Amino acid sequence: MKKVQSFILTLFTIINLSGNLFGQGNKILLPPLLTGPQFELTLQNGQYEFFPGHPSATMGVNGPILGPTLLMKKGERVDIKVKNNLGQRTTIHWHGMHVSSVNDGGPHIVIEPGTTWNPKFEVKNRASTCWYHPHLDRFTDQHVSKGIAGFIIVQDDEEAAFDLPRTYGVDDIPLAVQTKAFDSNYDILYDVNSDKTLLVNGVRDAYVDVPAQVVRFRLLDGSSQRTFNFGLEGNLPFYLIATDGGLLDAPVQLKRLPLSPGERGEILVDFTGMEGKTIALMSYAAELSNGIYGAAYPGPSPRMALSGYNPNPMNGRNFTVINFKIGAKTAHAVTSIPAKLAGEKPYTTDGVAHQRAIDFRAKTPGPDQLNGDFYINGVSFDINTINITVDLNDKEIWTITNNTPIAHPFHLHNVGFYILDIDGGLPPAYARGKKDTYLVPGRHSSMRIITKFTDFANDSIPYMYHCHMLKHEDGGMMGSFVVVDRTNSTQPIEEISEGVLLYPNPAKKSYVTVSTRDASEMIQAYSVIDGRGRILVYHIIDDNELSDAYSIPVSQYAPGHYIVKVVTTKDIYEKALVIAK
Ligand code: C2O
Ligand code: CU
Ligand code: CU
């Protein structure tokens, strides 16, 4: 493994340099493809030359930047080992994956330095392009900007039945498009608006060789803040085949595809007969309306400013994202765009159990309000608060109203959604498939989404919904929700908690002990929840310290009633705990 990485890096450096020498741009780095069901990921610090001769300190997965592409098959049970060698805490979130909140890798599922997190889950997603990135409370922008991000490609039988390009790196190419900011020492900056360097898979001034046939690109806007308005040079049409949640009913012919941070789009481009030519994928940012990060002005008028935003050559101007250098056709080329695909049926509004309002607002109104911080429903994110409780299998409509002057990409963990309408109108043709992130326009716009909270219930470990502009997310523009199964919790607590013992109870000393009845059942995590449903602690036990019994410190808690939730290798239990006076 080590050898392959350094070989790739050396090769990559050579290409980088020679590309510059001959003025051809730099060949993109293709993230290595790892095939499941077992994955080994090491989060590490590194050095990387975005600018030849000027190493920058970075973070990456199994290498100095980005991370390998994880190929998962629907229905398989994946087992992922995530070793944290960063020397600091982080988390890894599987953005777009439908997994339990314990496996989701949100801010509660911290990977302590030096430890290994080992999520195991069944892949329930349809074939789609998802991605992974850190999600530590208040540190997401830092860890993503430093370089950690990778693709997840989910495959299934449904997608396999279509004649689509799927040879990784040849006619099926992942493109992580990001902008970064550097200081004069080539250190990566975060939480800033001076992101002037465009990178595709970590490479500046990028090109990729493509064959003269139908090629699939998996586009990811992995930027901290920037929205791109993708289009091909000369307005060559392309075809959107999948949104965040997977295949559409049929390819949608487009000239532009805007993507905001966190969004993905799979497109087909037909290069048939174009051998020898070079075609640029552009961002037509001049066409973005003001108030979108990436347009000429970050707010609705030049009067509203963000420090570092103007002047920035990327804002409000069209630029090349990557050049496609078209070479010879391959042996088993896909040569036509399929007429039909298989989309998932969008949810109808029948039987909606709840409607909720999500309100985006700036903490400080006035001309300075673009700078945040921002509120959702009047509050900043608090890791100990559950903002929303939904019932398992309920269908819900959420109305996200943006009372700030700028657009924010709304992201929902776990389930994804369909957009019902935006300011009363149908969403654009490219946003009618299943999404998990979408840009809500500014100035009192509202977007209604519909979703269903299937499969996973856990009333103490929440999922997140948030703005995917990482500076905003870190600045509090995030909320949490739990999915609860009330049909289950109507059982008396003792009955569903038989598998573990908690003693002494009432607690008198500084510790209580939790132990499983079956000694082969290991305790992986516990949480203590107070009478108001707030998580006071959520502790994950190191893989190499797993045991069937564990001591939980309780001396810091006031006398009263608590719930202790215990996650074991087999199940999740809850026990009522009384702390005596
Ligand atoms: Cu891509 Cu909550 O994140
Ligand atoms: Cu996510
Ligand atoms: Cu935002």
Side-chain angles (χ1 to χ4, degrees), residues 117-133:
W117 177 47
N118 186 202
K120 301 180 185 104
F121 53 83
E122 184 194 328
V123 178
K124 289 181 173 280
N125 288 58
R126 305 176 66 221
S128 52
T129 305
C130 296
W131 66 300
Y132 60 94
H133 61 78

Side-chain angles (χ1 to χ4, degrees), residues 408-409 467 469 472 477:
H408 300 273
C467 171
M469 289 165 83
H472 298 182
M477 202 174 190

Side-chain angles (χ1 to χ4, degrees), residues 93-97 104 131 133 135 264 411-414 436-437 464 466 468:
H93 165 56
W94 320 107
H95 179 133
M97 299 295 288
D104 184 56
W131 66 300
H133 61 78
H135 211 306
R264 289 87 68 212
H411 171 49
L412 179 66
H413 283 213
N414 177 28
D436 58 50
T437 310
M464 301 295 120
H466 57 90
H468 218 290

Side-chain angles (χ1 to χ4, degrees), residues 259-278:
L259 292 181
S260 65
E263 287 187 90
R264 289 87 68 212
E266 292 181 28
I267 61 167
L268 296 182
V269 182
D270 190 355
F271 295 114
T272 303
M274 296 185 187
E275 188 174 345
K277 286 194 182 147
T278 296

Side-chain angles (χ1 to χ4, degrees), residues 5-49:
Q5 280 162 28
S6 55
F7 169 72
I8 289 170
L9 279 179
T10 318
L11 191 68
F12 177 54
T13 313
I14 293 165
I15 290 165
N16 239 340
L17 293 175
S18 62
N20 280 346
L21 282 178
F22 298 107
Q24 297 176 330
N26 306 307
K27 190 172 187 160
I28 57 154
L29 171 75
L30 183 71
L33 184 70
L34 302 185
T35 304
Q38 252 122 40
F39 297 97
E40 303 219 348
L41 305 180
T42 302
L43 313 179
Q44 56 194 70
N45 297 307
Q47 296 234 311
Y48 186 77
E49 295 190 9

Side-chain angles (χ1 to χ4, degrees), residues 165 210-215 217 236-237 239 268-277 279 326-330 333-337:
V210 296
Q213 63 202 49
V214 174
V215 178
F217 297 101
L236 195 75
Y239 300 86
L268 296 182
V269 182
D270 190 355
F271 295 114
T272 303
M274 296 185 187
E275 188 174 345
K277 286 194 182 147
I279 298 220
I326 308 161
K329 204 161 130 183
T330 63
V334 173
T335 51
S336 63
I337 307 290

